[in-house]
mmCIF file of all heavy atoms in Angstrom:
data_model
loop_
_atom_site.group_PDB
_atom_site.id
_atom_site.type_symbol
_atom_site.label_atom_id
_atom_site.label_comp_id
_atom_site.label_asym_id
_atom_site.label_seq_id
_atom_site.Cartn_x
_atom_site.Cartn_y
_atom_site.Cartn_z
ATOM 1 N N CYS A 11 9.106 -5.783 11.649
ATOM 2 C CA CYS A 11 8.566 -6.786 12.575
ATOM 3 C C CYS A 11 7.102 -7.012 12.199
ATOM 4 O O CYS A 11 6.708 -6.721 11.068
ATOM 5 C CB CYS A 11 8.753 -6.348 14.030
ATOM 6 S SG CYS A 11 7.900 -4.817 14.469
ATOM 7 N N LEU A 12 6.300 -7.501 13.120
ATOM 8 C CA LEU A 12 4.899 -7.779 12.786
ATOM 9 C C LEU A 12 4.043 -6.502 12.848
ATOM 10 O O LEU A 12 3.436 -6.090 11.869
ATOM 11 C CB LEU A 12 4.353 -8.849 13.737
ATOM 12 C CG LEU A 12 2.879 -9.212 13.585
ATOM 13 C CD1 LEU A 12 2.599 -9.823 12.219
ATOM 14 C CD2 LEU A 12 2.458 -10.185 14.697
ATOM 15 N N GLY A 13 4.028 -5.866 14.020
ATOM 16 C CA GLY A 13 3.109 -4.745 14.227
ATOM 17 C C GLY A 13 3.698 -3.369 14.018
ATOM 18 O O GLY A 13 2.978 -2.379 13.966
ATOM 19 N N ASN A 14 5.031 -3.274 13.956
ATOM 20 C CA ASN A 14 5.750 -1.990 13.848
ATOM 21 C C ASN A 14 5.452 -1.071 15.042
ATOM 22 O O ASN A 14 5.413 0.157 14.909
ATOM 23 C CB ASN A 14 5.439 -1.276 12.524
ATOM 24 C CG ASN A 14 6.367 -0.098 12.200
ATOM 25 O OD1 ASN A 14 5.961 0.858 11.552
ATOM 26 N ND2 ASN A 14 7.592 -0.136 12.653
ATOM 27 N N ILE A 15 5.213 -1.694 16.217
ATOM 28 C CA ILE A 15 5.057 -0.859 17.421
ATOM 29 C C ILE A 15 6.013 -1.264 18.540
ATOM 30 O O ILE A 15 6.112 -0.554 19.541
ATOM 31 C CB ILE A 15 3.605 -0.858 17.953
ATOM 32 C CG1 ILE A 15 3.123 -2.269 18.261
ATOM 33 C CG2 ILE A 15 2.671 -0.127 16.995
ATOM 34 C CD1 ILE A 15 1.822 -2.289 19.065
ATOM 35 N N CYS A 16 6.701 -2.406 18.411
ATOM 36 C CA CYS A 16 7.634 -2.823 19.470
ATOM 37 C C CYS A 16 9.054 -2.987 18.928
ATOM 38 O O CYS A 16 9.927 -2.129 19.135
ATOM 39 C CB CYS A 16 7.183 -4.127 20.128
ATOM 40 S SG CYS A 16 5.576 -4.017 20.959
ATOM 41 N N ARG A 17 9.317 -4.085 18.218
ATOM 42 C CA ARG A 17 10.704 -4.401 17.847
ATOM 43 C C ARG A 17 11.278 -3.497 16.766
ATOM 44 O O ARG A 17 12.395 -2.983 16.922
ATOM 45 C CB ARG A 17 10.792 -5.872 17.417
ATOM 46 C CG ARG A 17 10.541 -6.836 18.560
ATOM 47 C CD ARG A 17 10.275 -8.242 18.067
ATOM 48 N NE ARG A 17 9.017 -8.317 17.338
ATOM 49 C CZ ARG A 17 8.565 -9.389 16.698
ATOM 50 N NH1 ARG A 17 9.313 -10.487 16.686
ATOM 51 N NH2 ARG A 17 7.409 -9.388 16.089
ATOM 52 N N TYR A 48 -2.224 -4.038 11.811
ATOM 53 C CA TYR A 48 -3.051 -3.886 13.035
ATOM 54 C C TYR A 48 -2.940 -2.501 13.667
ATOM 55 O O TYR A 48 -3.880 -2.017 14.275
ATOM 56 C CB TYR A 48 -2.615 -4.868 14.124
ATOM 57 C CG TYR A 48 -2.404 -6.303 13.728
ATOM 58 C CD1 TYR A 48 -1.322 -7.018 14.253
ATOM 59 C CD2 TYR A 48 -3.280 -6.959 12.874
ATOM 60 C CE1 TYR A 48 -1.116 -8.351 13.928
ATOM 61 C CE2 TYR A 48 -3.070 -8.287 12.534
ATOM 62 C CZ TYR A 48 -1.986 -8.970 13.059
ATOM 63 O OH TYR A 48 -1.771 -10.277 12.726
ATOM 64 N N HIS A 49 -1.768 -1.887 13.599
ATOM 65 C CA HIS A 49 -1.523 -0.672 14.387
ATOM 66 C C HIS A 49 -1.134 0.523 13.527
ATOM 67 O O HIS A 49 -0.525 1.467 14.026
ATOM 68 C CB HIS A 49 -0.422 -0.946 15.422
ATOM 69 C CG HIS A 49 -0.754 -2.062 16.355
ATOM 70 N ND1 HIS A 49 -1.578 -1.911 17.454
ATOM 71 C CD2 HIS A 49 -0.415 -3.369 16.331
ATOM 72 C CE1 HIS A 49 -1.719 -3.060 18.069
ATOM 73 N NE2 HIS A 49 -1.025 -3.976 17.414
ATOM 74 N N ASP A 127 9.143 -11.607 20.347
ATOM 75 C CA ASP A 127 8.094 -10.600 20.383
ATOM 76 C C ASP A 127 7.762 -10.272 21.843
ATOM 77 O O ASP A 127 7.298 -11.145 22.578
ATOM 78 C CB ASP A 127 6.871 -11.185 19.665
ATOM 79 C CG ASP A 127 5.750 -10.181 19.551
ATOM 80 O OD1 ASP A 127 5.846 -9.105 20.167
ATOM 81 O OD2 ASP A 127 4.784 -10.485 18.836
ATOM 82 N N PRO A 128 7.981 -9.023 22.272
ATOM 83 C CA PRO A 128 7.744 -8.680 23.690
ATOM 84 C C PRO A 128 6.308 -8.243 23.971
ATOM 85 O O PRO A 128 5.971 -7.961 25.116
ATOM 86 C CB PRO A 128 8.705 -7.495 23.901
ATOM 87 C CG PRO A 128 8.695 -6.795 22.569
ATOM 88 C CD PRO A 128 8.501 -7.861 21.515
ATOM 89 N N TYR A 129 5.465 -8.193 22.951
ATOM 90 C CA TYR A 129 4.151 -7.541 23.058
ATOM 91 C C TYR A 129 3.282 -8.143 24.155
ATOM 92 O O TYR A 129 2.625 -7.422 24.904
ATOM 93 C CB TYR A 129 3.440 -7.629 21.707
ATOM 94 C CG TYR A 129 2.134 -6.877 21.636
ATOM 95 C CD1 TYR A 129 2.087 -5.488 21.714
ATOM 96 C CD2 TYR A 129 0.934 -7.567 21.460
ATOM 97 C CE1 TYR A 129 0.889 -4.809 21.620
ATOM 98 C CE2 TYR A 129 -0.272 -6.883 21.360
ATOM 99 C CZ TYR A 129 -0.293 -5.508 21.446
ATOM 100 O OH TYR A 129 -1.485 -4.830 21.354
ATOM 101 N N TYR A 130 3.262 -9.484 24.264
ATOM 102 C CA TYR A 130 2.375 -10.122 25.249
ATOM 103 C C TYR A 130 3.081 -10.422 26.564
ATOM 104 O O TYR A 130 2.507 -11.057 27.449
ATOM 105 C CB TYR A 130 1.774 -11.404 24.654
ATOM 106 C CG TYR A 130 0.842 -11.121 23.502
ATOM 107 C CD1 TYR A 130 1.230 -11.382 22.191
ATOM 108 C CD2 TYR A 130 -0.412 -10.549 23.719
ATOM 109 C CE1 TYR A 130 0.381 -11.096 21.122
ATOM 110 C CE2 TYR A 130 -1.266 -10.258 22.662
ATOM 111 C CZ TYR A 130 -0.868 -10.538 21.369
ATOM 112 O OH TYR A 130 -1.696 -10.245 20.318
HETATM 113 P P1 4NP B 19 6.030 -6.035 17.121
HETATM 114 O O1 4NP B 19 5.099 -6.597 18.305
HETATM 115 O O2 4NP B 19 5.830 -6.967 15.946
HETATM 116 O O3 4NP B 19 7.409 -6.138 17.694
HETATM 117 O O4 4NP B 19 5.571 -4.631 16.863
HETATM 118 C C1 4NP B 19 3.735 -6.849 18.161
HETATM 119 C C2 4NP B 19 2.831 -5.817 18.266
HETATM 120 C C3 4NP B 19 1.484 -6.081 18.172
HETATM 121 C C4 4NP B 19 1.037 -7.370 17.965
HETATM 122 C C5 4NP B 19 1.935 -8.409 17.845
HETATM 123 C C6 4NP B 19 3.292 -8.145 17.939
HETATM 124 N N1 4NP B 19 -0.364 -7.629 17.877
HETATM 125 O O5 4NP B 19 -0.736 -8.812 17.739
HETATM 126 O O6 4NP B 19 -1.161 -6.694 17.947
#
Side-chain angles (χ1 to χ4, degrees):
C11 62
L12 177 63
N14 193 210
I15 57 168
C16 298
R17 293 165 293 174
Y48 313 140
H49 302 280
D127 184 351
Y129 186 67
Y130 294 106

